[in-house]
Amino acid sequence: MKKVVVLGGGFAGVEAAICLKKYGFGVTLISDRDFMYIYPVSIWIPTGGINPESARLPLGKLSAVHKFDFITDEIVKIDGGANTVSGKKSSYNYDYLVIALGAGKANPEGVENTLSICGTPAESIKIKEKVDSLIKSGKGSISIGIGGNPKDPSAMRGGPAFELLFNFDYLLRKKGVRDDFELNIFSPMETPGKRLGDKAYNMLNELYENLKIKKYFGKKIKRFENGGIIFEDDSKLESDLTVFVPAGSMHKIFSVSGLPLTEAGFIKTGDDLAVEGGNNMYAIGDSANLEGPSFKGKQGHVAELMARTAAYNINEKEKGTRNYKGYKEHVHILCIMDNGKGATYIRRDSKSEKIIYLPVVGHWLKKFWGWYYKNSKLNNIPRIPGF
Ligand SMILES: Cc1cc2nc3c(=O)[nH]c(=O)nc-3n(C[C@H](O)[C@H](O)[C@H](O)COP(=O)(O)OP(=O)(O)OC[C@H]3O[C@@H](n4cnc5c(N)ncnc54)[C@H](O)[C@@H]3O)c2cc1C
């Protein structure tokens, strides 16, 4: 039985490990955390909408259900020439390697003065503590920023920033203190959210207006300071709590591993997701250079699409066929953008764009998705396409 090592226990790595095991490979998943952090539902940790534990999918339990091996280790180098990866605890050999380590973060100077919802669960809990203490004090200013990676617009992540902003607005209104708070959104991009399509972009602008959220767009971030954000023109946005959603960039181990990288730091692959010039090596999810329509974005469902495509292609390669599948033509935007009391379904592909506002039910649909994602994986229930 050929041995596949999958690096990273996020959307991409988990889906790849499950699919490869189904094809009959010996699979070892290696990740630095013993749980998958389900980012789409983690947006409710800062507002107390979920218990932080429910955003964790335990990888040990998952591996027992799907019968692959799981090792907790931090990978420090990939040696494609020797078919080996090195971790802090040990080295691992493979016949096939799937790289699903996510991305690094494009962080401006002084980022330690901000908190992020793209990191660890502990950081999301810190955001909650800070918001709670501001509410207790009766007033404050909260600013949410979306970073860019000028070398690759697909690495920018607006969705969670919009969701957190609207959830904060709803929380403050529920507590009856919205008028005592200033809510701001900032980004170096002129039109963040535009890639979701014109309808969604217009909806965002209407929401900022109606909810009295101040926007600071098209201004480069010079640095973050304790108490605010300094823009390129040296103006300062005062902020008691700054939550920053950085764009993706190169994962730190890629450069020391001699992998073929784009200028933005993502691994170059073909449409079949095999690493360019690599030997039995595949890259998927946020680690890989994403190709597809101009409005493409690195998303969880795209990471899963890449995982299924790579697993299929590895199996075909092993069978000795060249019957490979590509992923690019299937890339589209799909998002349920939550605001705490409802959500907007947004879908954009090359032919059309749709937005449907779902009051109340939309919020519970997204919550149900989180529950279903976790429990269907832990109980080996076949995936419902689209979920
Ligand atoms: C707050 C938030 C909300 C989001 N909401 C949505 C949404 O609603 N819909 C959607 O489609 N997408 C959403 N996304 C995007 C989506 O979560 C990502 O695109 C997706 O997580 C990418 O999956 P991945 O497996 O490639 O990377 P990741 O999820 O980042 O997983 C990488 C894995 O590798 C592990 N790892 C990293 N470095 C090492 C190392 N050196 N050694 C070993 N292991 C390592 C990490 O612990 C992690 O398990 C959201 C993202 C965020 C941050």
Side-chain angles (χ1 to χ4, degrees), residues 72-118:
T72 315
D73 197 356
E74 184 182 336
I75 301 303
V76 291
K77 193 174 176 194
I78 299 167
D79 183 348
N83 281 26
T84 308
V85 291
S86 309
K88 285 195 169 161
K89 293 183 190 161
S90 186
S91 290
Y92 312 91
N93 299 319
Y94 60 82
D95 296 310
Y96 288 91
L97 182 70
V98 178
I99 305 168
L101 291 166
K105 294 182 172 66
N107 278 329
E109 187 190 329
V111 74
E112 63 281 2
N113 294 298
T114 70
L115 290 168
S116 176
I117 39 167
C118 307

Side-chain angles (χ1 to χ4, degrees), residues 8-12 31-32 40 73 75 101 157 251 285-286 299-300 366:
F11 276 105
S31 198
D32 57 356
D73 197 356
I75 301 303
L101 291 166
R157 184 155 281 156
H251 189 292
D286 285 4
Q299 285 198 288
K366 184 149 185 163

Side-chain angles (χ1 to χ4, degrees), residues 263-279:
E263 236 195 308
F266 301 113
I267 302 174
K268 289 186 189 170
T269 72
D271 197 19
D272 61 352
L273 292 159
V275 174
E276 273 184 16
N279 180 27

Side-chain angles (χ1 to χ4, degrees), residues 33-63:
R33 310 198 263 234
D34 63 2
F35 60 91
M36 171 185 168
Y37 193 30
I38 310 172
Y39 283 113
V41 296
S42 71
I43 50 147
W44 292 304
I45 296 175
T47 53
I50 60 165
N51 172 337
E53 208 42 49
S54 56
R56 292 170 177 232
L57 172 59
L59 293 174
K61 223 169 165 181
L62 186 81
S63 68

